[in-house]
Amino acid sequence: MHIEETRRTDPELAALVDEELARQEACIEMIASESIVPIPVMEMSGSIFTNKTLEGLPGARYQAGAEIADKLERLAWERAKALFGAEHVNIQSYSGSSANHSVFAAILEPGDKILSMRLDQGGHLTHGSPANWLSKFYHHVFYGVGEDGRIDYDALEKIAREEKPKLIICGASSYPRLIDYERIAKIAADCGAYSMCDMAHVAGLVAAKVIPSPIPYFDFVSSSTTKTFCSGRAGMVFCKEKYAKLLDRGTFPGSLGSIHLQTMAAKCWSFKYAASQEFHDLMVQVVKNAQFLAAELQKHGFDIVSGGTDNHLMVVDLRNKGVTGRQMQDALDKAGISVNKQVVPFDEAKPHITSGIRIGLTAVTERGIREPELVKIADMISRVTDAPEDEAVLAQVKKEAEELMKNFPLYPASFTCH
Ligand SMILES: *Cc1c(COP(=O)(O)O)cnc(C)c1O
């Protein structure tokens, strides 16, 4: 990583980069929203484009000196639309959260009703959590999952009919199953609502055509570009051509200021890379690894919500193991395995405690972890679960985790040793 000038001028800060690199190298990273960006994404995120202030769209900018940026944004548009088979895209969003806000700004008025998935059953903070400030401006109603851990589509349809929302949102942060996009989009159309899918977690799997795409069905499809898409920290929104103007206005000036051209350049690179065989094979392996690890954990007596996974993540319900989510997050962290605590459907525990953990496979799969290593990792997780307070066990597992990950470098040494 090229941080020579930072090292010279601010050794204290450079040391934090070194520490974080060492932490990432040593750790079995299984937070489902994380991925390791390819080197060109990092190059573009730190590129010269960061110096340019620009607002508006290509051909209609508010500042001079936009010719090259116009080429960049048009190239990114063409690649993104081709990759996802979309009619229109706006790639100015700073993140998945701001992508969602752009859609709200495009089509909603204060007081409008939104039907979305409950946060504690898989939804996202930006879909109507009272903790998110935007929720104050809308009226929120929610659907959820049934006893089987899968979305209760009949209940969703009934709520939609009764409540007549202006917008129906699907897409989630901790839902391990495929979503019946066609059905949800039809329910929205039948009750006169706009439909939106937030594919933040699964955009990489969608781009690689490893799971079905929501793009043909929904008026709007928003996304983060981190997570399985493995790109820069930013967002994007696709929509039907008839909503293009609304979306563009909802993005700027509706909800954002000047463009982050450097992350737009990173996204532009990823729109090309995501069409490659290499990325396809990676995404296939991510799902294979997730399904394999879920089955391994089941052999150790873990209760996997909904009985398994169709994507890159799983939710483990720890109630039969006598540990809480928070306890496991902390214990696994000490043991060199990074996960996050997670509310499980019908959880009685408080949100800062929880009864589960969420495990994602993107980052470890990128590093080369395959089935033989996952057998070991499942065993490590099981040993930590059986003795979450036993410092000797945690230290032993941490040693094994570090040994294991030494064989799977984060980046080539030539890149990380500057
Ligand atoms: C992560 C996530 C977001 C937010 O994305 P950021 O890029 O972190 O802002 C939005 N929606 C869903 C479903 C997510 O999982």
Side-chain angles (χ1 to χ4, degrees), residues 95-97 100 124 126-127 172-173 198 200-201 224 227 234:
S95 69
S97 304
N100 289 343
H124 189 259
T126 51
H127 298 176
S173 300
D198 177 348
H201 258 273
S224 163
K227 307 185 179 174

Side-chain angles (χ1 to χ4, degrees), residues 33 94-100 122-127 169-174 196-202 222-227 232-235 313 358:
S33 33
Y94 303 153
S95 69
S97 304
S98 75
N100 289 343
H124 189 259
L125 280 168
T126 51
H127 298 176
I169 305 176
C170 72
S173 300
S174 56
M196 167 175 149
C197 174
D198 177 348
M199 63 169 178
H201 258 273
V202 295
S222 63
S223 188
S224 163
T225 49
T226 54
K227 307 185 179 174
R233 296 226 153 247
L313 66 83
R358 186 184 65 163

